[in-house]
């Protein structure tokens, strides 16, 4: 499957605009407590509407690419994502050096749901396509780049061991669902 080779997949489906707007309002309100400070984004306490978005996502989106990234068989049932969910907002940075790449937890598959439009200029990641399959970090320099570009309400799944980089911009908001790979 193409998702396995690339390390990420755009998911079919769209979260209703009214739910997305409620989440965007909650994130931009300034009333949510910051729970985690990361190099490229801050995470916040999770408002109830984000759990409604997660439920809608699990009930209506095509989840087959997530199963493929998790190495599940097509007939396997996808477990619920870890709780609590993660919500965040990218902030401006000075940016990494052009040769610097990052990874997340290798036993996870992440699903990013865009609360605002996401693109590299407002903080979204730039994936190094297929990098999760490479053993030698020096080989990552030859990977094709694939910017995460999502309209609000759309989602993309990606392997935690897929390398990524980013530009200096900020402002994009998102929900991240985390799925654990089977042992």
């Amino acid at each position: 499957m193409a998702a396995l080779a690339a390390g990420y997949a755009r998911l079919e489906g769209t979260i209703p605009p009214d739910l997305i707007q409620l989440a965007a309002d909650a994130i931009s309100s300034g009333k949510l407590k910051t729970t985690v400070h990361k190099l490229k984004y801050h995470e916040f306490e999770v408002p109830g509407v984000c759990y409604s978005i997660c439920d809608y996502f699990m009930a209506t989106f095509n989840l087959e690419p997530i199963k493929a990234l998790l190495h599940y068989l097509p007939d396997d049932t996808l477990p619920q994502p870890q709780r609590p969910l993660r919500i965040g907002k990218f902030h401006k940075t000075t940016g990494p050096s052009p040769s610097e790449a990052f990874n997340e937890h290798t036993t996870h598959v992440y699903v990013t749901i865009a609360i605002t439009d996401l693109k590299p200029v407002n903080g979204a990641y730039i994936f190094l396509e297929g990098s999760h399959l490479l053993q030698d970090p020096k080989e990552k320099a030859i990977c094709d780049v694939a910017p995460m570009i999502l309209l609000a309400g759309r989602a993309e799944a990606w392997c935690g061991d897929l390398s990524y980089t980013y530009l200096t911009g900020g402002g994009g908001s998102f929900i991240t669902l985390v799925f654990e790979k089977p042992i």
Side-chain angles (χ1 to χ4, degrees), residues 135-146:
Q135 299 300 319
D136 184 355
K138 294 176 189 166
E139 292 179 321
K140 293 180 182 185
I142 63 169
C143 293
D144 289 335
V145 295

Side-chain angles (χ1 to χ4, degrees), residues 2-3 22 26 30 34 39 43-44 51 67 73 75 83 89 91 94 105 126 129 131 144 157 162 170:
L22 288 171
T34 302
L39 179 66
E43 289 182 12
F44 303 99
Y51 289 103
K67 289 182 183 182
L73 297 173
D75 292 337
R83 300 286 176 135
K89 186 172 187 176
H91 55 80
T94 57
H105 201 286
I126 301 169
E129 194 169 287
S131 59
D144 289 335
L162 181 70

Side-chain angles (χ1 to χ4, degrees), residues 146-173:
M148 178 187 285
I149 300 174
L150 293 173
L151 297 175
R154 303 295 300 209
E156 191 161 78
W158 50 285
C159 293
D161 50 357
L162 181 70
S163 295
Y164 63 88
T165 189
Y166 54 83
L167 298 177
T168 60
S173 298

Side-chain angles (χ1 to χ4, degrees), residues 3-75:
L4 282 177
Y8 67 94
R10 186 77 35 92
L11 303 174
E12 295 174 24
T14 304
I15 303 294
D18 58 325
L19 287 176
I20 290 297
Q21 188 59 55
L22 288 171
D25 291 346
I27 293 169
S28 66
S29 72
K31 296 178 182 176
L32 298 178
K33 178 182 171 190
T34 302
T35 57
V36 177
H37 297 273
K38 295 265 189 163
L39 179 66
K40 184 60 189 158
Y41 60 88
H42 297 305
E43 289 182 12
F44 303 99
E45 62 186 355
V46 182
V49 66
C50 293
Y51 289 103
S52 297
I53 289 171
C54 176
D55 293 343
Y56 184 90
F57 171 85
M58 293 298 292
T60 64
F61 273 62
N62 175 7
L63 304 177
E64 294 306 312
I66 301 171
K67 289 182 183 182
L69 292 170
L70 289 166
H71 304 287
Y72 278 50
L73 297 173
D75 292 337

Side-chain angles (χ1 to χ4, degrees), residues 69-90:
L69 292 170
L70 289 166
H71 304 287
Y72 278 50
L73 297 173
D75 292 337
D76 290 344
T77 301
L78 186 67
Q80 289 292 310
Q82 294 178 359
R83 300 286 176 135
L85 305 176
R86 298 177 183 178
I87 66 165
K89 186 172 187 176
F90 292 109

